[in-house]
């Protein structure tokens, strides 16, 4: 019976024989394992944004780096009557968002230049930071504090606090954020909101440094 099971598993590429004897998982098993891990990761992402939304009443976002832009695959709408929210699948310039700044702050200067270039950046609103020197100062503060902020840079009247998500390779690839109306985001809330984001960001970290299961990635 054992030989029959082993032969069936080998025939269907779930196991493969090693050159020096013994067996290891085959391509089919690795694909199944990868998909299971991705599904588990997305469960953590969705649970995280809902938990953050429930704790704050504000909109919680998960967004990842896609090329040179930030895209939003998971959003939990806030409970407030007047709230700020991205749209699932929306893409924004990396320099203009709190999540994008959290990611940029954790990259080397060369990696940042590869994403945003060295020239004046594009403005989305009158508040968008477009000067490279000013952005560098903002990113330095982000590294010191451990979280990024954005006020009216993608939408007038909005505010956002974000923390980066790192892969096990140590590289930032995404982030979680809390977004709402600017008049509700007082300076006193920044550190508590950042602390609320830190634990779920650690849970979402994954060895691939990205979310291949995300159709927009």
């Amino acid at each position: 019976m054992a030989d029959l099971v082993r032969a069936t598993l080998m025939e269907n590429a779930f196991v493969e024989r090693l050159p020096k004897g013994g067996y290891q998982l085959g391509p089919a098993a690795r694909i199944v394992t990868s998909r299971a891990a991705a599904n588990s990761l997305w469960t953590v992402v969705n649970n995280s944004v809902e938990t953050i939304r429930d704790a704050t009443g504000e909109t919680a976002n998960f967004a990842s780096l896609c090329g040179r832009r930030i895209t939003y695959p998971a959003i939990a709408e806030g409970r407030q009557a007047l709230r700020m929210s991205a749209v699932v699948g929306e893409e924004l310039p990396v320099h203009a968002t709190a999540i994008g700044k959290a990611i940029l702050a954790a990259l080397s200067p060369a990696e940042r230049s590869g994403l945003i270039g060295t020239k004046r950046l594009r403005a989305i609103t009158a508040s968008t930071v477009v000067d490279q020197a000013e952005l560098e100062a903002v990113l330095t503060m982000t590294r010191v504090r451990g979280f990024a902020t954005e006020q009216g840079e993608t939408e007038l009247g909005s505010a956002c606090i974000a923390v980066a998500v790192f892969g096990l390779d140590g590289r930032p690839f995404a982030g979680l954020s809390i977004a709402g109306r600017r008049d509700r985001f007082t300076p006193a809330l920044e550190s508590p909101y950042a602390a609320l984001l830190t634990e779920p960001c650690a849970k979402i970290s994954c060895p691939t440094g990205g979310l291949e299961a995300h159709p927009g990635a």
Side-chain angles (χ1 to χ4, degrees):
M1 178 65 72
D3 289 341
L4 177 60
V5 171
R6 184 162 52 244
T8 300
L9 291 172
M10 292 179 63
E11 182 179 349
N12 290 281
F14 280 94
V15 298
E16 56 189 11
R17 189 187 297 275
L18 295 170
K20 295 183 179 181
Y23 299 86
Q24 68 177 10
L25 291 178
R30 290 194 290 270
I31 290 172
V32 170
T33 301
S34 175
R35 288 177 177 172
N39 289 336
S40 176
L41 183 59
W42 278 113
T43 297
V44 174
V45 167
N46 288 321
N47 288 344
S48 295
V49 294
E50 290 175 2
T51 298
I52 294 165
R53 183 270 314 281
D54 292 344
T56 64
E58 303 289 358
T59 297
N61 304 302
F62 172 83
S64 57
L65 187 62
C66 185
R68 297 185 177 186
R69 300 175 74 80
I70 294 296
T71 186
Y72 293 77
I75 299 169
E77 289 269 351
R79 306 290 194 195
Q80 305 284 352
L82 296 174
R83 58 187 180 271
M84 297 296 176
S85 181
V87 177
V88 171
E90 182 178 6
E91 294 187 352
L92 292 169
V94 66
H95 68 276
T97 69
I99 288 178
K101 291 175 189 174
I103 292 173
L104 288 172
L107 295 175
S108 69
E111 290 172 319
R112 287 199 296 276
S113 294
L115 285 175
I116 62 175
T118 58
K119 298 180 180 179
R120 189 173 178 83
L121 302 167
R122 182 171 71 87
I124 299 177
T125 73
S127 298
T128 307
V129 176
V130 295
D131 179 75
Q132 291 278 356
E134 184 180 354
L135 179 61
E136 279 298 319
V138 169
L139 298 180
T140 297
M141 181 181 297
T142 298
R143 283 190 291 274
V144 171
R145 298 191 301 183
F147 63 90
T149 61
E150 176 255 308
Q151 295 192 350
E153 294 183 55
T154 58
E155 184 177 352
L156 292 177
S158 69
C160 192
I161 294 170
V163 173
V165 172
F166 293 81
L168 293 186
D169 59 0
R171 295 176 57 80
F173 68 93
L176 285 171
S177 69
I178 302 168
R181 283 174 55 92
R182 189 170 181 175
D183 56 7
R184 290 198 298 266
F185 276 56
T186 63
L189 285 176
E190 290 183 351
S191 292
Y193 276 5
L196 186 63
L197 293 167
T198 300
E199 183 178 349
C201 280
K203 289 182 179 179
I204 297 170
S205 294
C206 66
T208 58
L211 294 177
E212 289 81 2
H214 169 36

